[in-house]
Amino acid sequence: MTVLGILKSLNTNVVCSYLGKKSVIPFRPLLSAKATPTTSTSKNISSCISSKFQFEFLLGSQMCQHHSLLASQNTSRDESKRTITSSASLNTDKWYQKIMKMREPIDTPSKTQSKLLSDLDSVYELQIHKVKPENMLEYLKQFEKFASLMNEKKTGAELLASFTVLIGDQDEAVHLWKYKGGYTSYSKALMIYRTDEDIVAYRSERNAMLRERYNQILLRFGFWEFNKNREPGNLYELRSYELKSGSMIEWGNHWARGLKYRQQNGEAVCGFFSHIGDLNMCHHLWSYKSLQSRKETRDLAWQLPGWDENVRYTVPLIRSLKSRILIPTPYSPLQ
């Protein structure tokens, strides 16, 4: 192809590539497609070469302008992105501040959780013994003797209640002890329990009858007195709650107001929360004449204005709940 043909072929839009994107640069024709050379070939070639240099100069100039335009557009896009990002960040900050405003300021407590919810004059021990099925009757006989030993040895431990499980984990025994005088009394009883020969002999026999045993040290909710004056012939329900960490005070505040809705039939026995052992747990003990009485008593609470609010505020605080229906042993102080 001649130089003239090459130049004529460039009489179109020039396609270039910039930053991986194809762009079209308009190009003004330097030679007319209809032009016919009237001079000699050498003059035409010379003229074409001159036009070629003119074309390269104009092409370079237009490409520089195009590059400047793209750079300007990219700068505008970057500024737009920064503006959008800044705006999004501002909106996020406003959203976060709006959420945070939903929370009321929380006063820093000046006392521990246990002191806010209870006093330390007495501590309680919840014992759960999982007994081998074939040994349950013998176990109950031996435990009665053990309770008498703890009293005879002047340990300071007081058995408040003793149960077997009717509905729930079968072949379980549940015992509740009180240590008046707090941890000083508990430590004294524990020392006698571990060193007295008669008690050590009992423990050896008892352990052979158990599959597993478990205990917790509890404190009583200050607003919930232990109500043990009851006629014999009751069923009991122990409801054990695992709460979300940090929610025990809120739980106690709601139940201090809501307990009145659950005292229509004298069913409220006592409420405790864990102090040593599995933490963030509380136990509510209820008394009923029968399972039907339990149903009717619980249904009655829903007819009282205010009980639904107590449920609405306390249910979100619960991680898990376990219910046991209990029968008092013949020697249980709580019947």
Side-chain angles (χ1 to χ4, degrees), residues 10-78:
L10 292 174
N11 185 15
T12 182
N13 290 336
V14 180
V15 179
C16 68
S17 176
Y18 179 72
L19 295 178
K21 296 182 180 180
K22 290 186 177 181
S23 303
V24 177
I25 304 175
F27 176 68
R28 179 183 298 176
L30 298 177
L31 295 176
S32 173
K34 297 180 181 181
T36 303
T38 58
T39 57
S40 63
T41 302
S42 60
K43 288 184 178 180
N44 285 337
I45 293 174
S46 176
S47 175
C48 287
I49 293 174
S50 176
S51 298
K52 175 177 178 294
F53 289 135
Q54 180 185 8
F55 163 76
E56 290 178 348
F57 174 79
L58 291 176
L59 177 61
S61 176
Q62 291 193 32
M63 289 186 68
C64 288
Q65 293 178 2
H66 181 63
H67 291 177
S68 298
L69 177 61
L70 289 177
S72 175
Q73 292 175 349
N74 289 336
T75 302
S76 298
R77 282 197 296 268
D78 291 342

Side-chain angles (χ1 to χ4, degrees), residues 38-304:
T38 58
T39 57
S40 63
T41 302
S42 60
K43 288 184 178 180
N44 285 337
I45 293 174
S46 176
S47 175
C48 287
I49 293 174
S50 176
S51 298
K52 175 177 178 294
F53 289 135
Q54 180 185 8
F55 163 76
E56 290 178 348
F57 174 79
L58 291 176
L59 177 61
S61 176
Q62 291 193 32
M63 289 186 68
C64 288
Q65 293 178 2
H66 181 63
H67 291 177
S68 298
L69 177 61
L70 289 177
S72 175
Q73 292 175 349
N74 289 336
T75 302
S76 298
R77 282 197 296 268
D78 291 342
E79 291 179 353
S80 176
K81 288 180 180 179
R82 284 195 295 269
T83 301
I84 294 173
T85 303
S86 177
S87 177
S89 177
L90 182 60
N91 291 336
T92 301
D93 291 341
K94 289 181 179 180
W95 175 84
Y96 179 75
Q97 293 171 1
K98 181 179 178 182
I99 294 299
M100 292 304 293
K101 287 181 180 179
M102 294 174 62
R103 294 193 172 204
E104 297 295 332
I106 300 176
D107 294 334
T108 302
S110 58
K111 297 181 180 180
T112 63
Q113 172 180 283
S114 57
K115 287 186 177 180
L116 290 171
L117 294 171
S118 180
D119 56 52
L120 295 177
D121 290 344
S122 297
V123 297
Y124 301 80
E125 181 182 12
L126 178 67
Q127 295 178 340
I128 298 178
H129 292 172
K130 298 183 179 182
V131 186
K132 296 176 182 177
E134 64 273 17
N135 296 129
M136 179 57 82
L137 294 178
E138 182 62 25
Y139 165 84
L140 294 176
K141 293 178 182 178
Q142 293 296 327
F143 191 86
E144 182 178 11
K145 295 178 181 178
F146 167 69
S148 299
L149 277 176
M150 292 293 283
N151 186 47
E152 293 172 7
K153 302 295 182 179
K154 298 182 180 180
T155 61
E158 178 187 357
L159 182 64
L160 294 180
S162 180
F163 308 100
T164 56
V165 176
L166 177 65
I167 301 177
D169 293 336
Q170 299 294 286
D171 303 307
E172 269 191 357
V174 178
H175 312 293
L176 182 63
W177 297 84
K178 178 181 178 179
Y179 301 89
K180 189 175 182 180
Y183 284 109
T184 300
S185 177
Y186 175 75
S187 298
K188 175 187 174 182
L190 187 60
M191 179 62 68
I192 297 173
Y193 171 80
R194 299 182 69 85
T195 58
D196 184 86
E197 292 182 0
D198 295 332
I199 297 178
V200 169
Y202 156 77
R203 289 169 53 201
S204 179
E205 295 179 6
R206 178 206 62 190
N207 291 346
M209 296 184 283
L210 298 182
R211 295 175 287 123
E212 186 179 343
R213 58 194 180 97
Y214 161 84
N215 70 339
Q216 272 186 341
I217 300 300
L218 312 174
L219 298 178
R220 179 179 58 81
F221 283 114
F223 59 85
W224 198 335
E225 294 289 338
F226 191 90
N227 183 4
K228 61 181 180 180
N229 297 321
R230 300 177 182 278
E231 294 294 328
N234 298 292
L235 293 177
Y236 291 85
E237 180 180 16
L238 181 65
R239 297 174 70 86
S240 300
Y241 302 86
E242 180 188 1
L243 304 183
K244 297 177 181 178
S245 297
S247 63
M248 187 65 72
I249 292 177
E250 186 177 356
W251 177 273
N253 287 337
H254 287 307
W255 270 99
R257 295 189 295 269
L259 185 60
K260 60 185 177 183
Y261 303 112
R262 293 299 314 275
Q263 294 178 323
Q264 304 304 308
N265 293 330
E267 65 270 23
V269 179
C270 201
F272 306 91
F273 63 95
S274 60
H275 200 226
I276 300 178
D278 288 343
L279 300 179
N280 303 310
M281 291 196 67
C282 57
H283 306 275
H284 295 183
L285 186 60
W286 307 94
S287 172
Y288 306 101
K289 288 298 181 182
S290 65
L291 292 177
Q292 179 63 26
S293 173
R294 173 184 179 273
K295 177 183 179 302
E296 294 171 355
T297 300
R298 290 172 60 84
D299 289 345
L300 178 61
W302 285 100
Q303 300 176 21
L304 303 176

